[in-house]
Amino acid sequence: MEFPCVIQSVHEKLRSDLGSCGSFKDVWQKHVSDLATRKGYSDAMRHLDERSWVPGDRGPSKECRVGWCAEFIPRFFETSLIDCVRKDLRMALSQSCTDEKYSVLSSEAEGILLSMKDVSSVEHISEDLSKKIEYFYGEAVVDIVKPSEPRKVLDVGSCNDPFSRYLDVVDFEVTAIDLTPACETVMEVDFVNLEPGESSGVGSRFGLQSFDVVTFCLLLSYLPCPRQRLQFCEKARALLKVNGLLLITETQSVTPRGNTMLMKQWKFEVENLGFRRIVYESKTHIHAMAFRKVPLFLKPEKSLNYAIRSSLPIKQDQRVDRKRATSDKDEFFIPKPQHKIMKSDAVGE
């Protein structure tokens, strides 16, 4: 069987099993116990990555899922993060006008904004100003200035540690994890059952707010349950420092415009957890999204066109036999278009 067919058959089997029994927990336990299927899937992903998705001799390719991440991460921290901080400060000021609990934040934000008036790059941020910004956020925050240590990246569903190909051109400290690793540098971890920050077990190795970046490269569509996909994003938020990045790449549909409404729904669902989408790019073969973790005191934007459903649906979910499902119908919710998507909808913050 061809490698893409192996991958597709596993995805379809998981969706079919979920439609049959209605319990994601039972389906996942069955899948975890099927080592032969997991090994075949892992080998197929590794072969595709090494033979079809490897970038050329010119360095990271923005059309490649990992190449896009490797190119975006340093660009964001070096040039875009300062503007995001300014936006947070302005938002805190605007919220203080309507909510008394933001009055203290307002005075802090105003002073920091004045100090940042002439700051154009991270090199111009003093240590004192950096501490004030960290105090404003009130929790662990990524280093605004260039850190003395590499940015910490958690690559979930890594398979064969593809980020290792870029370490000669980018300064990352990558922790690669996968349910079924395809090489020795990847740690075997079931992210479904991982509890970040727990006092014992695997979760103790993944502390709360300990990463600058979490990546889900072609990962979420592997999960048959829309709600579980969003729960992965919740775990990513727990693992990230404030201003940290959640990077998501997923394959394009057969008709590239076909997933526009779903990607819009993903934006509002993930932002409702405490993120802001800063980039969405539709590449030749992938959707590429970057979300920034923001503190919960910055209220999420409301949409009049979508009700929060606590799930991340994909088109393939429609193939699940709903009549045989025994769980909540919202497990299989597919949003319907409610308005025409305008070009402005595609931008981030």
Side-chain angles (χ1 to χ4, degrees):
M1 188 182 295
E2 294 292 332
F3 298 126
C5 294
V6 172
I7 294 169
Q8 183 178 355
S9 67
V10 173
H11 291 181
E12 290 180 348
K13 179 67 163 56
L14 287 169
R15 285 192 289 268
S16 176
D17 289 348
L18 181 61
S20 297
C21 75
S23 169
F24 173 77
K25 182 178 180 180
D26 292 344
V27 170
W28 193 251
Q29 286 179 344
K30 178 182 177 182
H31 179 61
V32 170
S33 64
D34 189 353
L35 183 58
T37 296
R38 291 197 289 118
K39 185 66 167 59
Y41 183 93
S42 180
D43 288 342
M45 288 294 291
R46 176 175 59 82
H47 278 89
L48 279 176
D49 179 69
E50 294 175 351
R51 297 180 184 182
S52 304
W53 299 336
V54 174
D57 296 333
R58 298 182 179 180
S61 168
K62 295 181 182 179
E63 295 295 326
C64 164
R65 76 208 190 285
V66 179
W68 180 83
C69 294
E71 188 275 338
F72 180 81
I73 293 170
R75 176 161 54 92
F76 169 77
F77 286 117
E78 292 170 10
T79 62
S80 303
L81 179 55
I82 291 178
D83 291 335
C84 291
V85 172
R86 285 194 178 100
K87 185 167 292 187
D88 289 348
L89 293 166
R90 294 190 187 103
M91 186 172 292
L93 282 171
S94 64
Q95 289 179 177
S96 68
C97 298
T98 56
D99 196 327
E100 291 183 1
K101 69 179 180 180
Y102 293 105
S103 58
V104 176
L105 288 175
S106 173
S107 60
E108 294 175 1
E110 190 171 9
I112 297 172
L113 272 173
L114 287 172
S115 301
M116 294 182 67
K117 183 178 179 180
D118 298 322
V119 173
S120 58
S121 66
V122 292
E123 287 80 8
H124 298 143
I125 294 183
S126 65
E127 183 177 348
D128 180 60
L129 179 55
S130 179
K131 289 180 178 179
K132 288 181 179 179
I133 293 173
E134 184 172 350
Y135 180 75
F136 163 75
Y137 284 113
E139 49 187 316
V141 61
V142 299
D143 291 328
I144 303 296
V145 296
K146 190 171 183 180
S148 57
E149 298 178 351
R151 298 286 183 187
K152 293 185 177 181
V153 177
L154 178 63
D155 184 22
V156 185
S158 179
C159 186
N160 61 325
D161 195 11
F163 272 100
S164 61
R165 294 196 293 262
Y166 298 93
L167 296 183
D168 58 337
V169 293
V170 291
D171 192 19
F172 300 157
E173 179 184 319
V174 179
T175 300
I177 64 175
D178 197 288
L179 177 64
T180 314
C183 65
E184 294 181 353
T185 57
V186 179
M187 188 186 309
E188 183 174 347
V189 175
D190 182 0
F191 200 70
V192 168
N193 293 307
L194 176 70
E195 294 297 334
E198 64 183 0
S199 57
S200 61
V202 176
S204 63
R205 304 177 66 175
F206 299 89
L208 299 175
Q209 300 181 327
S210 57
F211 290 93
D212 299 296
V213 182
V214 174
T215 66
F216 294 159
C217 292
L218 307 184
L219 172 69
L220 294 180
S221 56
Y222 173 45
L223 300 168
C225 176
R227 285 183 171 177
Q228 190 62 47
R229 296 179 198 125
L230 194 65
Q231 288 173 14
F232 266 37
C233 297
E234 286 184 283
K235 291 185 181 183
R237 191 182 190 283
L239 291 162
L240 284 167
K241 302 173 186 175
V242 170
N243 286 327
L245 292 174
L246 169 60
L247 303 183
I248 301 174
T249 60
E250 282 297 335
T251 56
Q252 284 276 14
S253 61
V254 177
T255 54
R257 294 176 62 186
N259 276 337
T260 303
M261 296 304 297
L262 293 181
M263 292 298 99
K264 187 68 173 176
Q265 179 72 11
W266 279 36
K267 175 182 185 292
F268 286 108
E269 295 285 353
V270 177
E271 286 189 343
N272 191 58
L273 299 177
F275 286 97
R276 288 288 181 275
R277 195 179 74 179
I278 52 178
V279 165
Y280 168 70
E281 296 181 16
S282 182
K283 300 294 185 180
T284 304
H285 300 293
I286 61 171
H287 296 283
M289 292 159 274
F291 293 88
R292 177 176 66 97
K293 176 180 175 177
V294 296
L296 290 176
F297 64 74
L298 295 177
K299 300 175 182 178
E301 297 175 3
K302 301 297 182 182
S303 170
L304 299 177
N305 299 304
Y306 293 103
I308 298 300
R309 303 303 293 263
S310 299
S311 66
L312 295 182
I314 60 176
K315 274 194 169 184
Q316 290 82 349
D317 293 337
Q318 295 172 335
R319 300 172 187 171
V320 174
D321 186 354
R322 302 183 188 188
K323 293 181 180 179
R324 289 154 55 194
T326 58
S327 59
D328 187 342
K329 291 181 180 179
D330 279 356
E331 287 272 359
F332 311 107
F333 168 72
I334 304 295
K336 295 181 179 180
Q338 299 183 33
H339 76 304
K340 183 178 180 180
I341 295 289
M342 307 299 290
K343 287 185 178 180
S344 59
D345 289 335
V347 301
E349 291 191 309

